[in-house]
Amino acid sequence: MLLSIREPNFPTEVLGSSIPVLVHFWAPWCGLCRLIVPQLQQFQTNWQDQVKLVGVNADQSLKLASTYRLQTLPTLILFANGQELHRLEHFHGREDLRRTLDEFMHSYQNRSASVSLSTHEYLTLEA
């Protein structure tokens, strides 16, 4: 089951998270939003403690919907270190969704590894 969050706890749960957060913006009237929940839960299971999955009801969180300029639902946004890294607004089936989400995570891991390497190299040069 997705952790459901609203505007007041968005800064803490998403922007302040120590791990990447995949935010599923949805609405009760959106059939596709409900259909992808099992795939999202499988994604979270596959990536275990490396990503947090949360749901935001866009109809109840209009300020967030406006802030992140939602054009369509469902919209999936991957946040890391308080920043939007990737956005998915359209996909073509379950396999496309799974592949795209996995690519998001691999991209995040590669970005994190290069930042760590750059920091380490900098520290080594300074020493």
Side-chain angles (χ1 to χ4, degrees), residues 5-11 14-15 23 25 54-71 75 77 79 84 87:
I5 62 169
R6 296 182 94 176
E7 290 167 3
N9 58 349
F10 190 87
V14 177
L15 303 178
V23 180
F25 287 97
V54 300
V56 174
N57 181 333
D59 286 349
Q60 293 177 348
S61 299
L62 296 176
K63 185 175 177 183
L64 288 174
S66 176
T67 298
Y68 292 102
R69 296 184 173 108
L70 301 185
Q71 300 288 320
T75 294
I77 302 177
F79 290 87
E84 179 180 331
R87 177 184 290 246

PDB file of all heavy atoms in Angstrom, residues 5-11 14-15 23 25 54-71 75 77 79 84 87:
ATOM      1  N   ILE A   5       0.335  11.014   1.187  1.00  0.00           N
ATOM      2  CA  ILE A   5       0.766  12.259   1.827  1.00  0.00           C
ATOM      3  C   ILE A   5      -0.001  13.436   1.240  1.00  0.00           C
ATOM      4  O   ILE A   5      -0.575  13.348   0.155  1.00  0.00           O
ATOM      5  CB  ILE A   5       2.288  12.480   1.712  1.00  0.00           C
ATOM      6  CG1 ILE A   5       2.720  12.606   0.258  1.00  0.00           C
ATOM      7  CG2 ILE A   5       3.055  11.361   2.394  1.00  0.00           C
ATOM      8  CD1 ILE A   5       4.141  13.076   0.108  1.00  0.00           C
ATOM      9  N   ARG A   6       0.028  14.541   1.987  1.00  0.00           N
ATOM     10  CA  ARG A   6      -0.640  15.769   1.572  1.00  0.00           C
ATOM     11  C   ARG A   6       0.358  16.921   1.678  1.00  0.00           C
ATOM     12  O   ARG A   6       1.496  16.729   2.106  1.00  0.00           O
ATOM     13  CB  ARG A   6      -1.851  16.010   2.448  1.00  0.00           C
ATOM     14  CG  ARG A   6      -2.890  14.889   2.271  1.00  0.00           C
ATOM     15  CD  ARG A   6      -4.093  15.123   3.080  1.00  0.00           C
ATOM     16  NE  ARG A   6      -5.061  15.823   2.218  1.00  0.00           N
ATOM     17  CZ  ARG A   6      -6.276  16.108   2.607  1.00  0.00           C
ATOM     18  NH1 ARG A   6      -6.684  15.797   3.807  1.00  0.00           N
ATOM     19  NH2 ARG A   6      -7.099  16.730   1.794  1.00  0.00           N
ATOM     20  N   GLU A   7      -0.081  18.093   1.317  1.00  0.00           N
ATOM     21  CA  GLU A   7       0.798  19.264   1.284  1.00  0.00           C
ATOM     22  C   GLU A   7       1.581  19.506   2.573  1.00  0.00           C
ATOM     23  O   GLU A   7       2.781  19.782   2.505  1.00  0.00           O
ATOM     24  CB  GLU A   7      -0.003  20.499   0.885  1.00  0.00           C
ATOM     25  CG  GLU A   7      -0.436  20.450  -0.561  1.00  0.00           C
ATOM     26  CD  GLU A   7      -1.487  21.481  -0.942  1.00  0.00           C
ATOM     27  OE1 GLU A   7      -1.870  22.305  -0.087  1.00  0.00           O
ATOM     28  OE2 GLU A   7      -1.936  21.444  -2.095  1.00  0.00           O
ATOM     29  N   PRO A   8       0.956  19.416   3.762  1.00  0.00           N
ATOM     30  CA  PRO A   8       1.716  19.730   4.978  1.00  0.00           C
ATOM     31  C   PRO A   8       2.926  18.815   5.225  1.00  0.00           C
ATOM     32  O   PRO A   8       3.944  19.276   5.735  1.00  0.00           O
ATOM     33  CB  PRO A   8       0.690  19.567   6.109  1.00  0.00           C
ATOM     34  CG  PRO A   8      -0.635  19.747   5.450  1.00  0.00           C
ATOM     35  CD  PRO A   8      -0.463  19.192   4.057  1.00  0.00           C
ATOM     36  N   ASN A   9       2.827  17.529   4.860  1.00  0.00           N
ATOM     37  CA  ASN A   9       3.961  16.639   5.123  1.00  0.00           C
ATOM     38  C   ASN A   9       4.825  16.364   3.892  1.00  0.00           C
ATOM     39  O   ASN A   9       5.791  15.614   3.969  1.00  0.00           O
ATOM     40  CB  ASN A   9       3.509  15.346   5.806  1.00  0.00           C
ATOM     41  CG  ASN A   9       2.484  14.568   5.023  1.00  0.00           C
ATOM     42  OD1 ASN A   9       1.920  15.049   4.050  1.00  0.00           O
ATOM     43  ND2 ASN A   9       2.224  13.359   5.461  1.00  0.00           N
ATOM     44  N   PHE A  10       4.533  16.999   2.767  1.00  0.00           N
ATOM     45  CA  PHE A  10       5.332  16.819   1.551  1.00  0.00           C
ATOM     46  C   PHE A  10       6.793  17.238   1.762  1.00  0.00           C
ATOM     47  O   PHE A  10       7.708  16.487   1.387  1.00  0.00           O
ATOM     48  CB  PHE A  10       4.707  17.595   0.385  1.00  0.00           C
ATOM     49  CG  PHE A  10       5.320  17.294  -0.951  1.00  0.00           C
ATOM     50  CD1 PHE A  10       4.864  16.233  -1.725  1.00  0.00           C
ATOM     51  CD2 PHE A  10       6.351  18.080  -1.454  1.00  0.00           C
ATOM     52  CE1 PHE A  10       5.426  15.954  -2.964  1.00  0.00           C
ATOM     53  CE2 PHE A  10       6.918  17.815  -2.694  1.00  0.00           C
ATOM     54  CZ  PHE A  10       6.447  16.744  -3.447  1.00  0.00           C
ATOM     55  N   PRO A  11       7.063  18.398   2.367  1.00  0.00           N
ATOM     56  CA  PRO A  11       8.467  18.791   2.559  1.00  0.00           C
ATOM     57  C   PRO A  11       9.267  17.768   3.382  1.00  0.00           C
ATOM     58  O   PRO A  11      10.413  17.473   3.048  1.00  0.00           O
ATOM     59  CB  PRO A  11       8.384  20.134   3.291  1.00  0.00           C
ATOM     60  CG  PRO A  11       7.049  20.685   2.909  1.00  0.00           C
ATOM     61  CD  PRO A  11       6.153  19.474   2.804  1.00  0.00           C
ATOM     62  N   VAL A  14       9.072  13.989   1.352  1.00  0.00           N
ATOM     63  CA  VAL A  14       9.641  13.929  -0.006  1.00  0.00           C
ATOM     64  C   VAL A  14      10.922  14.751  -0.098  1.00  0.00           C
ATOM     65  O   VAL A  14      11.998  14.212  -0.358  1.00  0.00           O
ATOM     66  CB  VAL A  14       8.613  14.400  -1.059  1.00  0.00           C
ATOM     67  CG1 VAL A  14       9.230  14.411  -2.452  1.00  0.00           C
ATOM     68  CG2 VAL A  14       7.369  13.504  -1.026  1.00  0.00           C
ATOM     69  N   LEU A  15      10.825  16.040   0.094  1.00  0.00           N
ATOM     70  CA  LEU A  15      11.975  16.913  -0.111  1.00  0.00           C
ATOM     71  C   LEU A  15      13.074  16.689   0.920  1.00  0.00           C
ATOM     72  O   LEU A  15      14.249  16.858   0.616  1.00  0.00           O
ATOM     73  CB  LEU A  15      11.523  18.380  -0.104  1.00  0.00           C
ATOM     74  CG  LEU A  15      10.439  18.731  -1.139  1.00  0.00           C
ATOM     75  CD1 LEU A  15      10.045  20.190  -1.009  1.00  0.00           C
ATOM     76  CD2 LEU A  15      10.885  18.381  -2.548  1.00  0.00           C
ATOM     77  N   VAL A  23       7.071   9.909  -6.352  1.00  0.00           N
ATOM     78  CA  VAL A  23       5.759  10.450  -6.003  1.00  0.00           C
ATOM     79  C   VAL A  23       4.786  10.120  -7.127  1.00  0.00           C
ATOM     80  O   VAL A  23       5.029  10.442  -8.289  1.00  0.00           O
ATOM     81  CB  VAL A  23       5.821  11.979  -5.784  1.00  0.00           C
ATOM     82  CG1 VAL A  23       4.437  12.511  -5.430  1.00  0.00           C
ATOM     83  CG2 VAL A  23       6.828  12.323  -4.692  1.00  0.00           C
ATOM     84  N   PHE A  25       1.378  11.061  -8.384  1.00  0.00           N
ATOM     85  CA  PHE A  25       0.272  12.002  -8.356  1.00  0.00           C
ATOM     86  C   PHE A  25      -0.911  11.335  -9.051  1.00  0.00           C
ATOM     87  O   PHE A  25      -0.783  10.877 -10.186  1.00  0.00           O
ATOM     88  CB  PHE A  25       0.640  13.299  -9.082  1.00  0.00           C
ATOM     89  CG  PHE A  25       1.606  14.152  -8.325  1.00  0.00           C
ATOM     90  CD1 PHE A  25       2.966  14.094  -8.601  1.00  0.00           C
ATOM     91  CD2 PHE A  25       1.168  15.019  -7.333  1.00  0.00           C
ATOM     92  CE1 PHE A  25       3.868  14.889  -7.909  1.00  0.00           C
ATOM     93  CE2 PHE A  25       2.063  15.824  -6.640  1.00  0.00           C
ATOM     94  CZ  PHE A  25       3.419  15.755  -6.926  1.00  0.00           C
ATOM     95  N   VAL A  54       5.428   7.182  -2.541  1.00  0.00           N
ATOM     96  CA  VAL A  54       4.316   7.876  -1.892  1.00  0.00           C
ATOM     97  C   VAL A  54       3.279   8.273  -2.938  1.00  0.00           C
ATOM     98  O   VAL A  54       3.599   8.435  -4.112  1.00  0.00           O
ATOM     99  CB  VAL A  54       4.768   9.130  -1.104  1.00  0.00           C
ATOM    100  CG1 VAL A  54       5.750   8.765  -0.010  1.00  0.00           C
ATOM    101  CG2 VAL A  54       5.334  10.188  -2.021  1.00  0.00           C
ATOM    102  N   GLY A  55       2.052   8.421  -2.480  1.00  0.00           N
ATOM    103  CA  GLY A  55       0.967   8.861  -3.344  1.00  0.00           C
ATOM    104  C   GLY A  55       0.440  10.215  -2.898  1.00  0.00           C
ATOM    105  O   GLY A  55       0.337  10.480  -1.699  1.00  0.00           O
ATOM    106  N   VAL A  56       0.124  11.063  -3.874  1.00  0.00           N
ATOM    107  CA  VAL A  56      -0.465  12.374  -3.591  1.00  0.00           C
ATOM    108  C   VAL A  56      -1.735  12.488  -4.420  1.00  0.00           C
ATOM    109  O   VAL A  56      -1.692  12.417  -5.649  1.00  0.00           O
ATOM    110  CB  VAL A  56       0.501  13.523  -3.949  1.00  0.00           C
ATOM    111  CG1 VAL A  56      -0.190  14.872  -3.793  1.00  0.00           C
ATOM    112  CG2 VAL A  56       1.767  13.460  -3.115  1.00  0.00           C
ATOM    113  N   ASN A  57      -2.862  12.657  -3.725  1.00  0.00           N
ATOM    114  CA  ASN A  57      -4.128  12.890  -4.397  1.00  0.00           C
ATOM    115  C   ASN A  57      -4.107  14.330  -4.916  1.00  0.00           C
ATOM    116  O   ASN A  57      -4.178  15.278  -4.138  1.00  0.00           O
ATOM    117  CB  ASN A  57      -5.286  12.672  -3.416  1.00  0.00           C
ATOM    118  CG  ASN A  57      -6.639  12.866  -4.058  1.00  0.00           C
ATOM    119  OD1 ASN A  57      -6.804  13.599  -5.022  1.00  0.00           O
ATOM    120  ND2 ASN A  57      -7.642  12.198  -3.504  1.00  0.00           N
ATOM    121  N   ALA A  58      -3.985  14.475  -6.220  1.00  0.00           N
ATOM    122  CA  ALA A  58      -3.850  15.806  -6.827  1.00  0.00           C
ATOM    123  C   ALA A  58      -5.091  16.666  -6.602  1.00  0.00           C
ATOM    124  O   ALA A  58      -4.986  17.890  -6.495  1.00  0.00           O
ATOM    125  CB  ALA A  58      -3.551  15.674  -8.318  1.00  0.00           C
ATOM    126  N   ASP A  59      -6.253  16.042  -6.504  1.00  0.00           N
ATOM    127  CA  ASP A  59      -7.486  16.804  -6.262  1.00  0.00           C
ATOM    128  C   ASP A  59      -7.505  17.415  -4.868  1.00  0.00           C
ATOM    129  O   ASP A  59      -8.115  18.450  -4.654  1.00  0.00           O
ATOM    130  CB  ASP A  59      -8.721  15.909  -6.426  1.00  0.00           C
ATOM    131  CG  ASP A  59      -9.020  15.585  -7.878  1.00  0.00           C
ATOM    132  OD1 ASP A  59      -8.419  16.213  -8.775  1.00  0.00           O
ATOM    133  OD2 ASP A  59      -9.866  14.699  -8.115  1.00  0.00           O
ATOM    134  N   GLN A  60      -6.837  16.780  -3.911  1.00  0.00           N
ATOM    135  CA  GLN A  60      -6.802  17.280  -2.542  1.00  0.00           C
ATOM    136  C   GLN A  60      -5.547  18.113  -2.262  1.00  0.00           C
ATOM    137  O   GLN A  60      -5.422  18.684  -1.187  1.00  0.00           O
ATOM    138  CB  GLN A  60      -6.860  16.124  -1.546  1.00  0.00           C
ATOM    139  CG  GLN A  60      -8.170  15.383  -1.566  1.00  0.00           C
ATOM    140  CD  GLN A  60      -8.169  14.203  -0.619  1.00  0.00           C
ATOM    141  OE1 GLN A  60      -7.143  13.789  -0.103  1.00  0.00           O
ATOM    142  NE2 GLN A  60      -9.349  13.653  -0.395  1.00  0.00           N
ATOM    143  N   SER A  61      -4.635  18.137  -3.203  1.00  0.00           N
ATOM    144  CA  SER A  61      -3.371  18.868  -3.025  1.00  0.00           C
ATOM    145  C   SER A  61      -3.140  19.778  -4.225  1.00  0.00           C
ATOM    146  O   SER A  61      -2.167  19.617  -4.974  1.00  0.00           O
ATOM    147  CB  SER A  61      -2.223  17.875  -2.859  1.00  0.00           C
ATOM    148  OG  SER A  61      -2.419  17.070  -1.728  1.00  0.00           O
ATOM    149  N   LEU A  62      -4.048  20.724  -4.405  1.00  0.00           N
ATOM    150  CA  LEU A  62      -4.000  21.588  -5.589  1.00  0.00           C
ATOM    151  C   LEU A  62      -2.741  22.446  -5.641  1.00  0.00           C
ATOM    152  O   LEU A  62      -2.221  22.720  -6.726  1.00  0.00           O
ATOM    153  CB  LEU A  62      -5.245  22.464  -5.653  1.00  0.00           C
ATOM    154  CG  LEU A  62      -6.559  21.693  -5.843  1.00  0.00           C
ATOM    155  CD1 LEU A  62      -7.742  22.648  -5.802  1.00  0.00           C
ATOM    156  CD2 LEU A  62      -6.532  20.912  -7.147  1.00  0.00           C
ATOM    157  N   LYS A  63      -2.226  22.843  -4.490  1.00  0.00           N
ATOM    158  CA  LYS A  63      -1.000  23.651  -4.478  1.00  0.00           C
ATOM    159  C   LYS A  63       0.183  22.837  -5.024  1.00  0.00           C
ATOM    160  O   LYS A  63       0.972  23.345  -5.829  1.00  0.00           O
ATOM    161  CB  LYS A  63      -0.706  24.142  -3.065  1.00  0.00           C
ATOM    162  CG  LYS A  63       0.467  25.079  -2.986  1.00  0.00           C
ATOM    163  CD  LYS A  63       0.635  25.623  -1.591  1.00  0.00           C
ATOM    164  CE  LYS A  63       1.871  26.515  -1.518  1.00  0.00           C
ATOM    165  NZ  LYS A  63       2.104  26.991  -0.156  1.00  0.00           N
ATOM    166  N   LEU A  64       0.295  21.570  -4.607  1.00  0.00           N
ATOM    167  CA  LEU A  64       1.367  20.715  -5.139  1.00  0.00           C
ATOM    168  C   LEU A  64       1.167  20.462  -6.629  1.00  0.00           C
ATOM    169  O   LEU A  64       2.132  20.487  -7.399  1.00  0.00           O
ATOM    170  CB  LEU A  64       1.425  19.384  -4.391  1.00  0.00           C
ATOM    171  CG  LEU A  64       1.955  19.427  -2.973  1.00  0.00           C
ATOM    172  CD1 LEU A  64       1.823  18.066  -2.299  1.00  0.00           C
ATOM    173  CD2 LEU A  64       3.405  19.889  -2.956  1.00  0.00           C
ATOM    174  N   ALA A  65      -0.081  20.215  -7.033  1.00  0.00           N
ATOM    175  CA  ALA A  65      -0.364  19.992  -8.456  1.00  0.00           C
ATOM    176  C   ALA A  65       0.045  21.199  -9.279  1.00  0.00           C
ATOM    177  O   ALA A  65       0.606  21.068 -10.371  1.00  0.00           O
ATOM    178  CB  ALA A  65      -1.844  19.680  -8.648  1.00  0.00           C
ATOM    179  N   SER A  66      -0.182  22.376  -8.747  1.00  0.00           N
ATOM    180  CA  SER A  66       0.202  23.606  -9.441  1.00  0.00           C
ATOM    181  C   SER A  66       1.718  23.801  -9.405  1.00  0.00           C
ATOM    182  O   SER A  66       2.334  24.140 -10.421  1.00  0.00           O
ATOM    183  CB  SER A  66      -0.502  24.799  -8.796  1.00  0.00           C
ATOM    184  OG  SER A  66      -0.071  25.993  -9.379  1.00  0.00           O
ATOM    185  N   THR A  67       2.316  23.592  -8.240  1.00  0.00           N
ATOM    186  CA  THR A  67       3.766  23.770  -8.094  1.00  0.00           C
ATOM    187  C   THR A  67       4.531  22.897  -9.079  1.00  0.00           C
ATOM    188  O   THR A  67       5.502  23.352  -9.693  1.00  0.00           O
ATOM    189  CB  THR A  67       4.202  23.424  -6.651  1.00  0.00           C
ATOM    190  OG1 THR A  67       3.552  24.331  -5.758  1.00  0.00           O
ATOM    191  CG2 THR A  67       5.705  23.518  -6.483  1.00  0.00           C
ATOM    192  N   TYR A  68       4.098  21.645  -9.245  1.00  0.00           N
ATOM    193  CA  TYR A  68       4.810  20.723 -10.128  1.00  0.00           C
ATOM    194  C   TYR A  68       4.185  20.659 -11.518  1.00  0.00           C
ATOM    195  O   TYR A  68       4.526  19.793 -12.313  1.00  0.00           O
ATOM    196  CB  TYR A  68       4.928  19.351  -9.458  1.00  0.00           C
ATOM    197  CG  TYR A  68       5.856  19.454  -8.276  1.00  0.00           C
ATOM    198  CD1 TYR A  68       5.366  19.517  -6.973  1.00  0.00           C
ATOM    199  CD2 TYR A  68       7.224  19.603  -8.472  1.00  0.00           C
ATOM    200  CE1 TYR A  68       6.218  19.691  -5.894  1.00  0.00           C
ATOM    201  CE2 TYR A  68       8.081  19.777  -7.396  1.00  0.00           C
ATOM    202  CZ  TYR A  68       7.568  19.819  -6.120  1.00  0.00           C
ATOM    203  OH  TYR A  68       8.427  19.999  -5.059  1.00  0.00           O
ATOM    204  N   ARG A  69       3.308  21.599 -11.811  1.00  0.00           N
ATOM    205  CA  ARG A  69       2.725  21.799 -13.146  1.00  0.00           C
ATOM    206  C   ARG A  69       2.239  20.490 -13.763  1.00  0.00           C
ATOM    207  O   ARG A  69       2.650  20.122 -14.874  1.00  0.00           O
ATOM    208  CB  ARG A  69       3.730  22.486 -14.058  1.00  0.00           C
ATOM    209  CG  ARG A  69       4.079  23.871 -13.602  1.00  0.00           C
ATOM    210  CD  ARG A  69       5.016  24.561 -14.579  1.00  0.00           C
ATOM    211  NE  ARG A  69       5.193  25.931 -14.200  1.00  0.00           N
ATOM    212  CZ  ARG A  69       6.320  26.406 -13.679  1.00  0.00           C
ATOM    213  NH1 ARG A  69       7.351  25.613 -13.476  1.00  0.00           N
ATOM    214  NH2 ARG A  69       6.408  27.674 -13.366  1.00  0.00           N
ATOM    215  N   LEU A  70       1.366  19.825 -13.043  1.00  0.00           N
ATOM    216  CA  LEU A  70       0.824  18.564 -13.550  1.00  0.00           C
ATOM    217  C   LEU A  70      -0.042  18.834 -14.773  1.00  0.00           C
ATOM    218  O   LEU A  70      -0.928  19.679 -14.739  1.00  0.00           O
ATOM    219  CB  LEU A  70       0.009  17.860 -12.464  1.00  0.00           C
ATOM    220  CG  LEU A  70       0.741  17.504 -11.181  1.00  0.00           C
ATOM    221  CD1 LEU A  70      -0.178  16.719 -10.264  1.00  0.00           C
ATOM    222  CD2 LEU A  70       2.021  16.741 -11.445  1.00  0.00           C
ATOM    223  N   GLN A  71       0.238  18.118 -15.845  1.00  0.00           N
ATOM    224  CA  GLN A  71      -0.518  18.241 -17.086  1.00  0.00           C
ATOM    225  C   GLN A  71      -1.506  17.102 -17.254  1.00  0.00           C
ATOM    226  O   GLN A  71      -2.518  17.237 -17.923  1.00  0.00           O
ATOM    227  CB  GLN A  71       0.442  18.259 -18.290  1.00  0.00           C
ATOM    228  CG  GLN A  71       1.433  19.389 -18.271  1.00  0.00           C
ATOM    229  CD  GLN A  71       0.784  20.721 -18.559  1.00  0.00           C
ATOM    230  OE1 GLN A  71      -0.094  20.822 -19.411  1.00  0.00           O
ATOM    231  NE2 GLN A  71       1.190  21.756 -17.837  1.00  0.00           N
ATOM    232  N   THR A  75       0.900  11.161 -12.949  1.00  0.00           N
ATOM    233  CA  THR A  75       2.243  11.696 -13.169  1.00  0.00           C
ATOM    234  C   THR A  75       3.127  11.137 -12.072  1.00  0.00           C
ATOM    235  O   THR A  75       2.754  11.146 -10.903  1.00  0.00           O
ATOM    236  CB  THR A  75       2.257  13.235 -13.124  1.00  0.00           C
ATOM    237  OG1 THR A  75       1.510  13.740 -14.237  1.00  0.00           O
ATOM    238  CG2 THR A  75       3.684  13.783 -13.201  1.00  0.00           C
ATOM    239  N   ILE A  77       6.941  11.415 -10.368  1.00  0.00           N
ATOM    240  CA  ILE A  77       8.137  12.251 -10.287  1.00  0.00           C
ATOM    241  C   ILE A  77       9.080  11.630  -9.274  1.00  0.00           C
ATOM    242  O   ILE A  77       8.679  11.322  -8.151  1.00  0.00           O
ATOM    243  CB  ILE A  77       7.803  13.696  -9.883  1.00  0.00           C
ATOM    244  CG1 ILE A  77       6.813  14.327 -10.869  1.00  0.00           C
ATOM    245  CG2 ILE A  77       9.081  14.530  -9.799  1.00  0.00           C
ATOM    246  CD1 ILE A  77       6.373  15.746 -10.511  1.00  0.00           C
ATOM    247  N   PHE A  79      12.138  12.243  -6.906  1.00  0.00           N
ATOM    248  CA  PHE A  79      12.870  13.297  -6.202  1.00  0.00           C
ATOM    249  C   PHE A  79      14.062  12.686  -5.481  1.00  0.00           C
ATOM    250  O   PHE A  79      13.969  11.572  -4.959  1.00  0.00           O
ATOM    251  CB  PHE A  79      11.977  13.958  -5.138  1.00  0.00           C
ATOM    252  CG  PHE A  79      10.875  14.798  -5.689  1.00  0.00           C
ATOM    253  CD1 PHE A  79       9.654  14.229  -6.012  1.00  0.00           C
ATOM    254  CD2 PHE A  79      11.040  16.159  -5.857  1.00  0.00           C
ATOM    255  CE1 PHE A  79       8.618  15.010  -6.496  1.00  0.00           C
ATOM    256  CE2 PHE A  79      10.013  16.943  -6.348  1.00  0.00           C
ATOM    257  CZ  PHE A  79       8.792  16.368  -6.676  1.00  0.00           C
ATOM    258  N   GLU A  84      13.680  17.548  -8.166  1.00  0.00           N
ATOM    259  CA  GLU A  84      13.038  16.688  -9.153  1.00  0.00           C
ATOM    260  C   GLU A  84      14.108  16.189 -10.115  1.00  0.00           C
ATOM    261  O   GLU A  84      14.809  16.983 -10.741  1.00  0.00           O
ATOM    262  CB  GLU A  84      11.975  17.474  -9.923  1.00  0.00           C
ATOM    263  CG  GLU A  84      11.287  16.662 -10.984  1.00  0.00           C
ATOM    264  CD  GLU A  84      10.222  17.437 -11.745  1.00  0.00           C
ATOM    265  OE1 GLU A  84       9.599  18.369 -11.183  1.00  0.00           O
ATOM    266  OE2 GLU A  84      10.027  17.106 -12.929  1.00  0.00           O
ATOM    267  N   ARG A  87      10.685  12.750 -14.490  1.00  0.00           N
ATOM    268  CA  ARG A  87       9.225  12.851 -14.538  1.00  0.00           C
ATOM    269  C   ARG A  87       8.715  11.905 -15.610  1.00  0.00           C
ATOM    270  O   ARG A  87       9.286  11.825 -16.697  1.00  0.00           O
ATOM    271  CB  ARG A  87       8.828  14.286 -14.861  1.00  0.00           C
ATOM    272  CG  ARG A  87       7.339  14.502 -15.021  1.00  0.00           C
ATOM    273  CD  ARG A  87       7.067  15.933 -15.443  1.00  0.00           C
ATOM    274  NE  ARG A  87       7.342  16.838 -14.349  1.00  0.00           N
ATOM    275  CZ  ARG A  87       6.408  17.565 -13.730  1.00  0.00           C
ATOM    276  NH1 ARG A  87       5.147  17.504 -14.100  1.00  0.00           N
ATOM    277  NH2 ARG A  87       6.737  18.370 -12.749  1.00  0.00           N
TER     278      ARG A  87
END
